[in-house]
Amino acid sequence: MITAIVRLHAALDATELPFDLPGLDDVRIARTQMVDQLEDYVIPRLMTLEAPLLAVVGGSTGAGKSTLVNSLVGHRVTTPGVLRPTTRSPVLVHHPDDAHWFGQDRLLPDLTRVQHVTDDPDSLQLVATEAVPAGLAILDAPDVDSVEERNRVLAAQLLAAADLWLFVTSAARYADQVPWEYLKQAAERSTAVAIVLDRTPDDAVQTVATHLARMLASRGLKDSPLFTVAEGKIDNQGLLPPRHVADIREWLDTLAEDSDARGAVVRQTLDGAVRTITRRTYPIADAAVEQTAIALSLKADVDETYDEAIAAVIAATADGSLMRGEVLARWQEFVGTGELLRSLESRVGGLRDRLVNTIKGKPQQAERVTVAVESGLETLLLEHAEAAAERTHARLRQQAAGAGVLANAPGDLGRASRDLRRRAERMVRDWQLDVLDMVRTEGADKRTTARFLAFGVNGLSVALMIVVFSHTAGLTGTEAGVAGGSALLGQKLLEAVFGDQAVRTLADRARRSLEQRVTVLLHDERARYLSLVDAVTVHPDTPDKLRQAARRVDDLRYQASAKAAEASPGEPL
């Protein structure tokens, strides 16, 4: 069982729930509480079942917890708070022979052990006195309803580390909500609880005690002992008259003397704690599943937006959109217009040689087309990259998990990268050089022909770029006719030099090269978001580890229960 519990603790401790989701704060708090209880109580107690019974005295503000502890011991061991909230360390009172059980290595290991009075809530005051019987330790805890959060957290931590709750309330506070929330937890965990109704006027004891008993029964605590402490005069040591706490003292002494009774209390609370922790592990596992799902969802949102941007850019380079404005004007300067285009409209098929002889493109004009194509492509890339960044940022910001990721992002992810323009320029130039190299390689055996020499490598590469942008779906009216005619002219020019099949192959290679480069460029933009999501640690195997660890503990519990039933038939477990 110890090994199984240690593995469950390791699985819970390693579970990370970094993405913000509705209701996740409660799950995170629950996981922390479970890890703390395993460290503070379950594991140390399992390893030392023979250790003294720890009774933690907790309850409402002003209920008289410290006065009760001092009165039970018979002298002052803890100082009641005068001002509220009182920030002080918890006090653990034990028999001197039991001192070795309360070292730093077990029971609340995060609290520093001290032998003196301190206000440090991270310290645990150890008080050894023979007034407490061996086998029993009493711990005075802060108020569960303190207005100071640190006190409330510490009180919850101490109660979770108790074998027995000695829960103190008063006639004025017994119906308060916060204490009952703790008592509800005790009932759910099968924690051993005794209730002390303190500071109760004699004429109200019967009425209040009866009502409190009904409340306890209705909330699953009908078997919990209920003690009443009448209001009494406190002496100069801050102690109640011994007779006022005699019943509680006698009950605790009996527990201390009876090892079987102590063992029953420990087993009841320990088994309840383990059972509750394993049950609560499954919602933690479910939350871990959601973490993996949200990571995938966030990445899918990023991928979808940038995939759309890549598709839009590729479509714009194929639908004639780039055959507008400056690109079209510079291309027309290169190939000529007027008579040539009008002739092309009527008799394209029979004019190939005549067209080639007519075009008077010059090197500087080809360079102008190249520059126009470069500028047009860069603008297209920048526009879509900016739009993709803006849309992705907006989609993530609308989700709690995405907003949390963006909160830790450097720079402004709502804009494209600062160096995108420089990278886009380099990408376009590299593509143009690639096209130039394709033409040069394809024309290796044609470099001495008149047609090849008439246009040169630069002129033919310009024509190939225009053919890549040849579809005219993005243009309308006269513009479509002019652009389409110009692109067809470029295709005929290339066919005159290389032949039909070669031109189709060149155009296909040039288009694939452009698409690959566009994809890589925008993938780098996409990676800014994906890297943020990936930086958030989420392990897909965490849910299975949690469930397997919890099931193993449950299996061992059931086996132990079955053996106990066989050993003691007819006796309650």
Side-chain angles (χ1 to χ4, degrees), residues 409-425:
D412 183 7
L413 284 185
R415 300 289 306 276
S417 301
R418 291 185 178 182
D419 64 342
L420 178 63
R421 181 176 294 277
R422 174 180 57 79
R423 291 188 290 114
E425 291 172 355

Side-chain angles (χ1 to χ4, degrees), residues 193-520:
V193 179
I195 309 298
V196 178
L197 181 58
D198 196 12
R199 295 183 173 177
T200 308
D202 290 338
D203 59 354
V205 167
Q206 185 62 38
T207 302
V208 175
T210 300
H211 186 212
L212 178 56
R214 286 201 299 268
M215 294 178 70
L216 290 169
S218 67
R219 289 163 173 81
L221 295 168
K222 64 182 179 64
D223 295 327
S224 297
L226 173 59
F227 300 98
T228 58
V229 178
E231 246 180 348
K233 184 177 181 181
I234 297 176
D235 64 17
N236 56 5
Q237 292 295 315
L239 308 180
L240 290 165
R243 67 179 185 280
H244 284 221
V245 295
D247 290 345
I248 305 173
R249 176 64 195 243
E250 181 181 355
W251 182 69
L252 291 174
D253 286 346
T254 301
L255 275 179
E257 293 169 2
D258 187 343
S259 60
D260 290 339
R262 288 203 315 272
V265 171
V266 169
R267 287 193 300 273
Q268 174 186 334
T269 300
L270 183 59
D271 185 70
V274 171
R275 184 183 68 250
T276 302
I277 288 172
T278 56
R279 186 185 72 244
R280 297 174 74 194
T281 297
Y282 292 97
I284 306 295
D286 293 341
V289 171
E290 291 183 9
Q291 292 287 298
T292 301
I294 197 64
L296 295 175
S297 176
L298 291 174
K299 293 170 75 170
D301 286 345
V302 174
D303 284 336
E304 181 180 352
T305 303
Y306 275 93
D307 286 345
E308 290 173 354
I310 290 170
V313 171
I314 291 173
T317 61
D319 65 4
S321 297
L322 284 172
M323 292 298 296
R324 290 189 174 106
E326 188 71 11
V327 175
L328 181 60
R330 299 290 79 79
W331 169 246
Q332 287 177 341
E333 287 178 0
F334 178 68
V335 300
T337 54
E339 298 268 346
L340 180 61
L341 288 178
R342 283 194 293 274
S343 300
L344 182 65
E345 290 173 2
S346 59
R347 290 183 298 141
V348 170
L351 292 177
R352 178 180 297 173
D353 291 338
R354 220 182 314 171
L355 289 174
V356 172
N357 294 329
T358 304
I359 294 175
K360 301 299 182 182
K362 297 179 181 179
Q364 64 270 29
Q365 292 173 325
E367 180 63 24
R368 289 172 187 164
V369 181
T370 300
V371 171
V373 167
E374 181 179 344
S375 176
L377 268 176
E378 289 169 9
T379 300
L380 180 68
L381 288 166
L382 291 173
E383 288 177 351
H384 283 281
E386 287 287 354
E390 184 177 349
R391 290 198 304 272
T392 302
H393 193 272
R395 288 183 71 168
L396 297 189
R397 194 177 58 236
Q398 291 171 357
Q399 308 171 57
V405 169
L406 293 176
N408 300 319
D412 183 7
L413 284 185
R415 300 289 306 276
S417 301
R418 291 185 178 182
D419 64 342
L420 178 63
R421 181 176 294 277
R422 174 180 57 79
R423 291 188 290 114
E425 291 172 355
R426 185 171 64 246
M427 186 225 86
V428 175
R429 286 196 297 269
D430 288 346
W431 176 70
Q432 290 176 326
L433 289 174
D434 194 19
V435 171
L436 192 68
D437 187 62
M438 291 179 194
V439 171
R440 184 183 291 113
T441 301
E442 185 67 28
D445 59 347
K446 298 181 175 63
R447 292 183 184 178
T448 58
T449 64
R451 290 172 180 172
F452 191 94
L453 292 174
F455 310 109
V457 174
N458 289 341
L460 293 172
S461 65
V462 163
L464 181 55
M465 293 179 207
I466 297 302
V467 169
V468 170
F469 308 144
S470 62
H471 300 291
T472 59
L475 303 176
T476 57
T478 304
E479 186 183 35
V482 174
S486 297
L488 184 57
L489 182 58
Q491 182 173 339
K492 297 304 179 183
L493 186 155
L494 290 170
E495 289 174 355
V497 178
F498 299 117
D500 296 358
Q501 183 58 45
V503 172
R504 284 193 291 272
T505 301
L506 282 172
D508 185 58
R509 286 176 55 197
R511 166 147 300 281
R512 288 202 308 271
S513 175
L514 179 59
E515 291 177 357
Q516 290 169 0
R517 294 175 188 278
V518 168
T519 300
V520 170

Side-chain angles (χ1 to χ4, degrees), residues 2 40-54 100-103 105-107 163 262-263 266 270:
I2 292 176
D40 294 343
Y41 175 65
V42 174
I43 294 175
R45 174 49 87 182
L46 276 173
M47 297 178 70
T48 54
L49 287 171
E50 68 278 17
L53 179 75
L54 179 63
H100 63 285
W101 291 113
F102 302 110
D105 58 334
R106 71 167 303 276
L107 184 67
D163 295 310
R262 288 203 315 272
V266 169
L270 183 59

Side-chain angles (χ1 to χ4, degrees), residues 112-191:
T112 303
R113 272 52 173 170
V114 298
Q115 306 292 331
H116 57 273
V117 177
T118 176
D119 289 335
D120 182 5
D122 293 322
S123 296
L124 177 63
Q125 297 181 47
L126 297 179
V127 179
T129 174
E130 293 187 354
V132 173
L136 174 70
I138 301 174
L139 194 154
D140 183 20
D143 304 328
V144 296
D145 55 357
S146 172
V147 297
E148 187 170 310
E149 182 181 8
R150 181 67 183 88
N151 280 352
R152 298 196 304 273
V153 171
L154 181 57
Q157 180 184 7
L158 297 177
L159 286 170
D163 295 310
L164 168 67
W165 288 14
L166 204 59
F167 210 82
V168 184
T169 188
S170 66
R173 306 296 301 272
Y174 76 94
D176 289 356
Q177 179 181 359
V178 173
W180 281 105
E181 290 176 353
Y182 278 88
L183 291 171
K184 177 184 177 183
Q185 294 175 15
E188 292 172 348
R189 299 175 185 171
S190 299
T191 302

